[in-house]
Each structure stands twice: as C-alpha cells, then as structure tokens.
Amino acid sequence: MTAADPSVPTLPMLRCAGCGHLDTPAHTVCRACLSADLRPVGIPATGRIVSFTTIRRAPSRFRDQAPYHVAVVDLDAGPRVTGRLAATSPAPALGARVRALRPGPADLLFTIRDDS
Amino acid sequence: MRDVCIVGIGSTRFGRHAGTPIEQLAAQAGAEALRDSGIDRGRIGALYLGNFISGPLNGKEILAGIVGDQLGLPNIPCTKVEGACASGGIAFRHAWMAIASGECDAAMAVGAETMTHAAGAQVTAALNCAMDNEDDAPSGLTFPGLFGLAWRIHAQRYGTTRAQVSAVVRKNKAYGLRNPLAQMGADLTDADIATSAAICDPLQLFDCCPTSDGAAAVVLAARPLLAELRSVPVDILASVQTRGAARIAGHPDLCSFDATVSAAQRAYAMAGIAPADVDVVELHDCFSIAEVIDSEDLGLVPRGQGAVWAAEGRTAVDGQVAINPSGGLLAKGHPVGATGIGQIYEIVRQLRGTHPNQVPGAEIGMTHNLGGTGVACTVSLLRRAA
C-alpha cells in the first residue's frame, strides 16, 4: 500500500513554511526555527509501533474502553505520535505496521495492518 | 559561587495523614529541620517550597507564604516552585542557589503534598496535569502506561525479565519495612508481585508507588555560618536541573530520559567526581522499571544492566552502589512535591551515619528527582563534611 491508497486516511499536521519542519497541530510556533508561518498539510496515516502498553486502570474519560492498547507510532512521513489502538485491532507487537482509522491527531485511533 | 552545606533536616512519615492540612505537615517538617540545625530563625533569608497539586486537590495555593508564616520566619521571599514530581528537587536547588550566589546566608527548602483524601479519579486527573494534554493525554495514556512503553523496549532490547525487575520491588519493599518513615514496606515473593493486580502491561500493582501524604524540609547555610551551628554538616557538591522532552513523542529513546542523562553528566562535572565515587543514591523509582532506567541514565550501572544488577544484589546496601535504601518511592511513598526533599533527608541521614538502612562508610550520596514524562529533572551530589 502507498500514500495514495484511498483506504488510508490522512493525518492533519503542520509544515513550517520557513524551514519545512513537520509537527503536530498543537503549535503556533515552529520549534525548529520559531517561524509562525505554519501551513496545514495531510500526511499518510501509516507507521510502525515503537512500543505499546495495555491500560487496565484507565483515566475516567476512557474507563468504558479499558482495557485498551496505547502505542507510540513512528509515522512513515516522519513525526512520532501517541495513539490508541481500536478495540477491533489485531494484537499489537513491537515494530508492527499500523494505520489510522480516523483522522487525528486528537483521539488518534490506530489498527494493526494486515500486511504487518 | 559559595560553598553551601545542609545543616538541618526534618520529615513527617510518608503515608496517610488524614485530617492534617498540607501546610501543617509542611510546618511540622520545617520546624524539625530548624530545631535540628540549631539556627536562629531570623537568619533564614529565603524559603522555597515544592508542591505539585495542592491547587486541584486542596484548593490551596500560596503555600510557601503560608508555611513561612506558620514557621514564624522573617518577612523573607517565600516562593513555591513546581515541576511535577521533581518539584521538591527544584525547591532544594533554588535554596542552594540563593546561598551559593550570596543573596542570603541561610535558606530553607520544603516539600509537601497531600493526596490520600482525594478520590482515585481525582488524583489521576490531577497527576495527568503533568502530561502534555494536547499531544499525549488524548491517547488515553497514563503515567504507569509511559513506563509500560519503556519496559517493553527494555525487555526486547536487553532481555530484561519479570523476575529481574521484581528484584527491584523486593529490595525496596524490604528496605521500606525497616524505615519508620516509609508508607508501604513489605516482604514480597516474586509470585506476590507477578500476581498482584494488572495496572498496565507489563506493570502490576507492586511495580507502582502508592498515593501518599507527607512533607520534608532541609535548612541550608553558607559554610562560614557553620561555627554557629551544632549539627554535623553535609556539603552540597552539585545541584543541577535540566529539561527533557515535554512530549512522549519528543523522546528519541523511550527507554532513557535525556533530562536525567544530562543532569547527571553536569552534576559529576560540577562535583569533580565519577559515578563510581557514589556510595548511595536515592533515585526516582515511581515504578520498578523507572529504577532500572534511572540507574543506567545516571551512569551508575552499565546500559541495559539495571535489572540484572538489582537481581544480583549489586544495588543493595552492601552492594557496589546502594540504590534507594529508604525504600524509594515504591515503599517509602511518593507525596509528589515532598519526594525530592525526602530524598535529600534520606541521603543526609546516610552521610551522618544514622540511617535505619545504613550504607557502611557512606561518604558521597546522590539524589535524582524526575518530573512529568521526563520534562524536569534534578540531580544533586552530597558529601559527608570532613
């Protein structure tokens, strides 16, 4: 599968018009060059699991979903993000390929890809 | 910079102090430290207080001024500092700087927190204020979860086993049994630990520090003041504070905290000593795997060997480097803002030779206090005064 795959949603990110640094949307200033000229871009929501854990004692807003997996994912396009795995996802493993099920990054939800 | 000594220490028991307001706990510890030092209160030129969540849990801010008032201190600057779980260590460093810079000749650092009166969900929500709530918290991650991420990598990369990590828990819980200030000492088997409640894989309940109330305080003075004081002084060789990544995604390696690595390197350089010179360490074992990673980040144990060293007894009181003979956060407890000052208290007792789990002949001690998801760190090096 490639970035052009229509089954893979894009994740909204910000690209700095000054230096090209790609980062999550929770910014108004580029941490690399301090430019305030950050442009919304979509990047392919695919990546690889760096690590994961299974949350069994959850914060109150997630309690009805526990237990659930949280994974740190290195996106193929560069940024590292923290997201939850969908309840329907196959079991995670270190290095497993994932794709996002819905556009994040707030409440980013991943699933393990079949081609892991 | 002037030479600064620790001349007085005080601490409440860590655990439950139902019904005692936070400022009164802080005043109890502060009064004990002042009495221990023998200093005239009028000589104290600054007070720094470490606290994290008295706002959300108690509806109380301006704690530094309230504690200064309760202790009858002069009209000196009383300042609260906050760096999540590193708040106490930061307060200590500021008190040290106030004297080292010449701004005053004596100062106090106090740490205090009360947590056990609050409902579990309220405590969790308050603690999660120490996480990046834009990028990290929306995932449903928790603080134990952060260390679950780290543990998995440690296990894969270095072959670290459940039993090796359990050795950290058994050691600290056993030391807690013999420390009268400790909240939750216990004599545990590997099976007790492995079958305790699952919190977030691979962490079980006994891998996690408890929720605690408590306060600790120290009095610092410039070396020339020592002639007036009756206590056995401890020299501050170094006190360093660093920033690490504010977001989990900002850590290049989830199995190491760069704030700890850089704080330790700067502290060793400032003190002019090597890691092998350190006899006893109180480090930030909020979770069992945290002690493993911290001991490696501090350069005390070879990378990847933290759990192996614990399992081999090399981090015991009679080992190569004694780690957390107080029982650590795991057994002594973790009243968040008090923890960093409590660590100083424990090391001073070691260097005075009066600790309930005494490291024989301890001359140089270290404290390590880590806040948030590794965003704030303090490392201090102390030496028994000649």
Side-chain angles (χ1 to χ4, degrees):
Chain A
M1 301 218 295
T2 68
D5 186 334
S7 72
V8 175
T10 57
L11 292 181
M13 292 280 163
L14 292 175
R15 189 179 295 283
C16 175
C19 74
H21 180 70
L22 191 62
D23 214 329
T24 62
H27 301 93
T28 52
V29 173
C30 173
R31 77 175 81 233
C33 76
L34 301 184
S35 166
D37 189 1
L38 306 181
R39 311 268 173 89
V41 293
I43 64 167
T46 57
R48 193 176 287 281
I49 289 182
V50 179
S51 191
F52 68 97
T53 183
T54 310
I55 305 290
R56 299 180 188 279
R57 302 289 177 91
S60 42
R61 65 176 273 217
F62 297 103
R63 192 147 295 156
D64 58 338
Q65 298 178 44
Y68 54 86
H69 302 298
V70 172
V72 172
V73 172
D74 275 343
L75 295 171
D76 296 331
R80 177 174 282 191
V81 294
T82 310
R84 202 159 60 262
L85 286 189
T88 54
S89 171
L94 297 185
R97 302 276 308 158
V98 294
R99 67 185 171 87
L101 288 176
R102 60 171 179 245
D107 212 13
L108 187 53
L109 198 64
F110 285 104
T111 187
I112 300 293
R113 285 174 58 150
D114 300 334
D115 59 347
S116 282
Chain B
M1 299 283 266
R2 298 194 296 171
D3 289 342
V4 183
C5 303
I6 301 169
V7 296
I9 57 171
S11 180
T12 71
R13 182 177 49 78
F14 284 8
R16 287 184 185 274
H17 288 278
T20 308
I22 185 168
E23 66 274 17
Q24 293 179 23
L25 282 180
Q28 288 170 22
E32 186 184 331
L34 286 165
R35 286 194 299 268
D36 181 53
S37 71
I39 200 167
D40 174 351
R41 273 180 295 179
R43 301 296 295 268
I44 301 293
L47 179 147
Y48 290 91
L49 183 136
N51 174 261
F52 174 38
I53 42 175
S54 184
L57 293 189
N58 296 316
K60 289 181 180 174
E61 301 286 4
I62 62 157
L63 273 182
I66 293 174
V67 172
D69 187 73
Q70 294 231 341
L71 290 172
L73 296 181
N75 291 342
I76 55 171
C78 295
T79 309
K80 187 179 79 172
V81 299
E82 187 274 314
C85 305
S87 300
I90 294 171
F92 175 76
R93 180 168 177 275
H94 278 68
W96 167 74
M97 284 194 296
I99 301 170
S101 67
E103 147 74 12
C104 59
D105 289 332
M108 292 187 73
V110 183
E113 206 77 66
T114 54
M115 306 166 74
T116 67
H117 63 287
Q122 195 188 0
V123 173
T124 301
L127 292 175
N128 262 29
C129 293
M131 194 176 285
D132 181 311
N133 277 303
E134 302 294 336
D135 274 339
D136 289 331
S139 66
L141 189 64
T142 59
F143 274 94
L146 170 67
F147 286 88
L149 298 169
W151 186 329
R152 261 192 217 290
I153 294 176
H154 207 279
Q156 187 204 42
R157 192 182 292 166
Y158 307 114
T160 299
T161 65
R162 167 74 261 184
Q164 288 166 348
V165 178
S166 291
V168 172
V169 180
R170 285 192 283 106
K171 169 178 69 72
N172 293 2
K173 290 290 192 181
Y175 288 145
L177 274 182
R178 297 199 293 271
N179 183 353
L181 297 184
Q183 176 176 9
M184 215 170 263
D187 180 14
L188 297 177
T189 65
D190 283 350
D192 294 333
I193 298 162
T195 60
S196 62
I199 303 297
C200 61
D201 304 2
L203 280 81
Q204 309 290 122
L205 182 63
F206 285 132
D207 292 303
C208 307
C209 66
T211 296
S212 317
D213 308 324
V218 293
V219 176
L220 313 184
R223 179 164 274 287
L225 243 65
L226 292 181
E228 304 174 24
L229 303 174
R230 62 168 173 264
S231 70
V232 179
V234 162
D235 291 327
I236 303 170
L237 300 180
S239 189
V240 173
Q241 180 182 343
T242 52
R243 181 191 70 82
R247 302 172 304 155
I248 290 163
H251 290 290
D253 184 354
L254 291 173
C255 208
S256 171
F257 293 99
D258 44 8
T260 299
V261 173
S262 55
Q265 287 171 349
R266 288 184 215 174
Y268 291 130
M270 185 183 289
I273 66 167
D277 297 325
V278 176
D279 299 308
V280 54
V281 186
E282 290 288 333
L283 56 72
H284 203 88
D285 61 327
C286 45
F287 303 96
S288 54
I289 190 68
E291 173 163 321
V292 172
I293 293 169
D294 296 343
S295 66
E296 299 169 12
D297 283 344
L298 292 168
L300 301 167
V301 171
R303 183 62 69 185
Q305 296 296 297
V308 171
W309 274 43
E312 291 177 354
R314 296 163 82 169
T315 58
V317 159
D318 59 355
Q320 266 167 274
V321 56
I323 296 182
N324 287 330
S326 71
L329 284 60
L330 284 176
K332 189 187 175 192
H334 185 25
V336 176
T339 292
I341 304 289
Q343 293 175 324
I344 300 282
Y345 174 97
E346 298 287 338
I347 292 296
V348 169
R349 300 247 351 227
Q350 289 284 354
L351 301 180
R352 289 179 178 178
T354 61
H355 198 278
N357 294 308
Q358 182 64 42
V359 176
E363 286 185 17
I364 292 181
M366 173 184 244
T367 62
H368 163 257
N369 201 194
L370 187 65
T373 55
V375 72
C377 181
T378 61
V379 168
S380 296
L381 286 166
L382 311 179
R383 183 178 60 200
R384 189 173 67 199

